[in-house]
């Protein structure tokens, strides 16, 4: 069995784990990252697309801003659409803030390249990853790598291993409560080789359900459709997807350009928060501790915010001050519950509840009234702008 020692053992090489390791390295604190998938798999995973202004600032401060500056698309606002009418909500005019459209995949690519140049230790394809002795000051991680057993002893373990990871599950049931909410819909997402038909993201509520138009570059569009969570992707031919997008996004005088679909998948939607993000020598960051439905574009941004707070705590700890680290769990959860209510609000605002018109026409009409209000009230738009562009850390 090979044995290593490090200050911080990080489980998971998603954006949260890679960024934490990078932020610690920037302050001279060594860490080792253990990931169960291959590097190719991690690099190919298509997910989030929107960076809050604060996320861009954090990545830039850590020397990861070059490609965001050259390739990221700064958006001043979004379009909200309902009942066939499209309204622009201009965050920049309302509150002086913007968001940047830059794929999570690109953030991960930048992090992997930076770590590779710096010679960081990242174990990909680690098997049977397990964490031990969390209640002690010398917690351990064990895993198999290239057929050999490995053990890492650390001062701290950080669970950056996403919703299905092992770290949160290693906290005894009696010490943690899980708060969850599920929605009766899912998102079918596509990537298409076609220039975006819009300058800013379109979020649309249509009688047939939600649709949205996002993008990845000047030549690649990202689009989503609300579908039933039990829906089989095999039922959605490319033609059927484009037809539904044309119907749900269409407004008079505007054209949705179609192109070759290069990827399609269905993602369930859920809201989830763990009652604690710290447990003795273990800390949770990102999706390991909380999940939001994607409507508010908050998952990746929350992961970046957790990492910023935890890195500050660990840096202070190694400088002899434990106050920031002691506050991490509570501070990150306080921010997260604000993120949760916003993501839930955006989701409930924009999706059709199955059977609405038959069983509950009242709720759907009330929802249309809410969108009408938001798109016509400056106060409501400022509220949306403030939350969409990012809560303070
Ligand atoms: P990740 O990205 O899930 O990374 C966790 C890593 O841990 C590894 N892992 C393990 N490693 C070792 N041992 C184990 N036992 C392990 N189990 C798991 C995994 O392989 C993986 O590499 O979590 P992280 O780093 O916390 O990052 C969170 C974000 O990925 C997530 O919140 C966002 O993608 C959510 N999200 C969005 N967030 C935004 O901020 N803006 C958006 O526009 C946005 N759109 C989205 C989204 C998520 C989506 N999907 C597919 C869930 C759109 C979609 C469709
Ligand atoms: C995306 O581009 O993938 C995206 C953008 C905004 C969202 C969710 C996903 O709210």
């Amino acid at each position: 069995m090979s044995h290593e020692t490090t200050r911080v053992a990080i489980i998971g090489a998603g954006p949260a784990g890679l960024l934490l390791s990078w932020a610690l390295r920037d302050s001279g604190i060594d860490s080792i990252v253990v990931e169960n998938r291959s590097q190719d798999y991690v690099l190919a995973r298509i997910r989030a697309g929107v960076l809050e202004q604060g996320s861009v600032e954090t990545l830039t401060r850590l020397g990861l801003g070059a490609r965001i500056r050259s390739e990221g698309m700064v958006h001043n606002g979004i379009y909200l659409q309902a009942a066939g009418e499209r309204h622009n909500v201009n965050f920049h005019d309302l509150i002086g803030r913007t968001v940047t459209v830059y794929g999570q995949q690109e953030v991960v690519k930048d992090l992997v390249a930076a770590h590779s140049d710096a010679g960081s230790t990242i174990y990909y394809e680690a098997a049977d990853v397990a964490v031990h002795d969390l209640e002690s000051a010398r917690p351990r991680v064990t895993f198999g790598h290239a057929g050999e057993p490995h053990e890492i002893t650390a001062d701290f373990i950080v669970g950056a291993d996403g919703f299905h990871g092992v770290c949160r599950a290693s906290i005894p049931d009696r010490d943690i409560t899980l708060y969850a909410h599920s929605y009766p819909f899912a998102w079918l997402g596509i990537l298409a080789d076609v220039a975006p038909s819009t300058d800013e993201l379109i979020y649309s509520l249509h009688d047939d359900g939600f649709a949205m138009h996002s993008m990845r570059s000047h030549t690649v569009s990202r689009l989503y459709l609300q579908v039933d969570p039990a829906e089989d992707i095999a039922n959605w031919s490319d033609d059927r997807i484009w037809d539904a997008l044309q119907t749900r996004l269409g407004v008079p005088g505007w054209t949705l350009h179609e192109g070759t679909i290069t990827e399609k998948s269905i993602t369930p939607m859920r809201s989830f928060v763990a009652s604690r993000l710290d447990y003795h020598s273990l800390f949770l960051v990102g999706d390991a501790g909380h999940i939001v439905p994607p409507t508010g574009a908050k998952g990746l941004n929350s992961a970046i915010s957790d990492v910023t707070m935890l890195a500050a705590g660990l840096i202070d700890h190694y400088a002899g001050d434990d106050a920031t680290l002691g506050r991490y769990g509570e501070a990150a959860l306080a921010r997260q519950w604000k993120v949760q209510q916003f993501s839930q609000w955006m989701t409930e605002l924009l999706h059709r509840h199955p059977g609405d018109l038959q069983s509950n026409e009242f709720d759907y009409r009330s929802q249309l009234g809410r969108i009408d209000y938001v798109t016509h009230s400056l106060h409501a738009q400022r509220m949306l702008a403030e939350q969409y562009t990012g809560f303070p850390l």
Side-chain angles (χ1 to χ4, degrees):
M1 150 115 57
S2 91
H3 185 261
E4 286 168 281
T5 303
T6 189
R7 282 177 154 179
V8 185
I10 300 171
I11 315 300
L18 291 172
L19 182 63
L20 179 66
S21 176
W22 185 252
L24 294 177
R25 164 178 276 277
D26 192 58
S27 292
I29 299 167
D30 61 282
S31 67
I32 295 177
V33 181
V34 179
E35 161 66 48
N36 64 356
R37 301 284 195 162
S38 69
Q39 189 185 87
D40 286 349
Y41 183 92
V42 165
L43 282 167
R45 215 162 20 200
I46 296 160
R47 285 185 168 180
V50 175
L51 291 176
E52 293 172 357
Q53 193 166 314
S55 299
V56 173
E57 285 160 8
T58 298
L59 294 168
T60 302
R61 179 170 51 78
L62 291 168
L64 298 160
R67 285 180 67 242
I68 300 178
R69 265 191 306 281
S70 63
E71 288 172 39
M73 293 173 280
V74 176
H75 283 192
N76 286 334
I78 56 171
Y79 294 101
L80 278 184
Q81 183 174 320
E85 281 182 32
R86 186 175 297 166
H87 303 268
N88 186 245
V89 181
N90 188 312
F91 305 148
H92 190 258
D93 285 354
L94 289 160
I95 59 160
R97 294 178 74 81
T98 60
V99 292
T100 299
V101 175
Y102 188 72
Q104 177 168 330
Q105 229 180 333
E106 304 305 314
V107 174
V108 170
K109 196 196 283 182
D110 294 342
L111 281 162
V112 166
H115 277 297
S116 157
D117 289 348
S120 305
T121 308
I122 304 177
Y123 288 99
Y124 289 99
E125 298 180 75
D128 304 322
V129 178
V131 295
H132 313 273
D133 305 335
L134 299 176
E135 292 85 359
S136 83
R138 297 304 285 159
R140 291 176 302 121
V141 182
T142 56
F143 58 99
H145 190 256
E148 295 294 325
H150 281 247
E151 181 179 71
I152 300 171
T153 305
D155 298 339
F156 301 103
I157 294 179
V158 176
D161 48 351
F163 182 67
H164 300 287
V166 292
C167 289
R168 189 187 64 249
S170 302
I171 300 176
D173 286 349
R174 64 173 182 279
D175 290 314
I176 191 167
T177 305
L178 309 178
Y179 304 107
H181 181 79
S182 64
Y183 301 87
F185 25 79
W187 276 17
L188 188 164
I190 63 160
L191 268 185
D193 279 338
V194 57
S197 305
T198 178
D199 55 342
E200 289 176 350
L201 273 52
I202 306 168
Y203 291 82
S204 172
L205 172 63
H206 184 271
D207 284 358
D208 292 355
F210 171 77
M212 107 155 228
H213 189 332
S214 181
M215 59 196 74
R216 285 294 176 272
S217 69
H218 297 294
T219 54
V220 176
S221 296
R222 176 84 167 138
L223 297 114
Y224 296 98
L225 283 170
Q226 174 186 348
V227 295
D228 190 278
E231 189 62 83
D232 182 352
I233 192 91
N235 293 331
W236 287 82
S237 67
D238 293 4
D239 284 347
R240 182 176 175 204
I241 291 172
W242 284 117
D243 281 351
L245 288 167
Q246 293 286 3
T247 305
R248 297 189 200 181
L249 289 169
V251 284
W254 176 80
T255 307
L256 173 64
H257 300 290
E258 301 184 6
T260 306
I261 296 179
T262 55
E263 199 267 349
K264 54 179 157 179
S265 59
I266 293 182
T267 309
M269 299 180 83
R270 60 166 87 82
S271 299
F272 160 84
V273 187
S275 62
R276 62 194 299 173
L277 301 178
D278 51 356
Y279 176 72
H280 302 280
S281 296
L282 173 73
F283 294 97
L284 302 177
V285 288
D287 279 12
H290 39 72
I291 296 274
V292 283
T295 330
K298 290 290 178 222
L300 170 61
N301 291 297
S302 296
I304 293 174
S305 147
D306 284 357
V307 165
T308 308
M309 286 194 244
L310 183 59
L314 290 167
I315 292 164
D316 282 2
H317 166 82
Y318 286 110
D321 176 1
D322 272 333
T324 318
L325 193 58
R327 279 195 303 268
Y328 165 71
E330 216 175 304
L333 279 178
R335 185 181 190 280
Q336 180 54 211
W337 278 111
K338 284 182 268 192
V339 167
Q340 287 288 335
Q341 63 75 31
F342 174 66
S343 302
Q344 184 179 12
W345 179 80
M346 279 286 277
T347 302
E348 300 286 355
L349 182 72
L350 288 160
H351 291 75
R352 282 299 306 275
H353 281 263
D356 265 351
L357 281 187
Q358 298 78 30
S359 61
N360 199 349
E361 194 165 348
F362 181 91
D363 280 353
Y364 182 48
R365 282 166 195 265
S366 165
Q367 208 174 342
L368 292 173
R370 206 180 312 153
I371 293 177
D372 200 17
Y373 171 61
V374 171
T375 51
H376 290 92
S377 156
L378 271 184
H379 295 288
Q381 286 181 40
R382 282 208 185 92
M383 198 180 82
L384 169 62
E386 197 169 78
Q387 299 184 90
Y388 194 97
T389 58
F391 293 91
L393 289 179

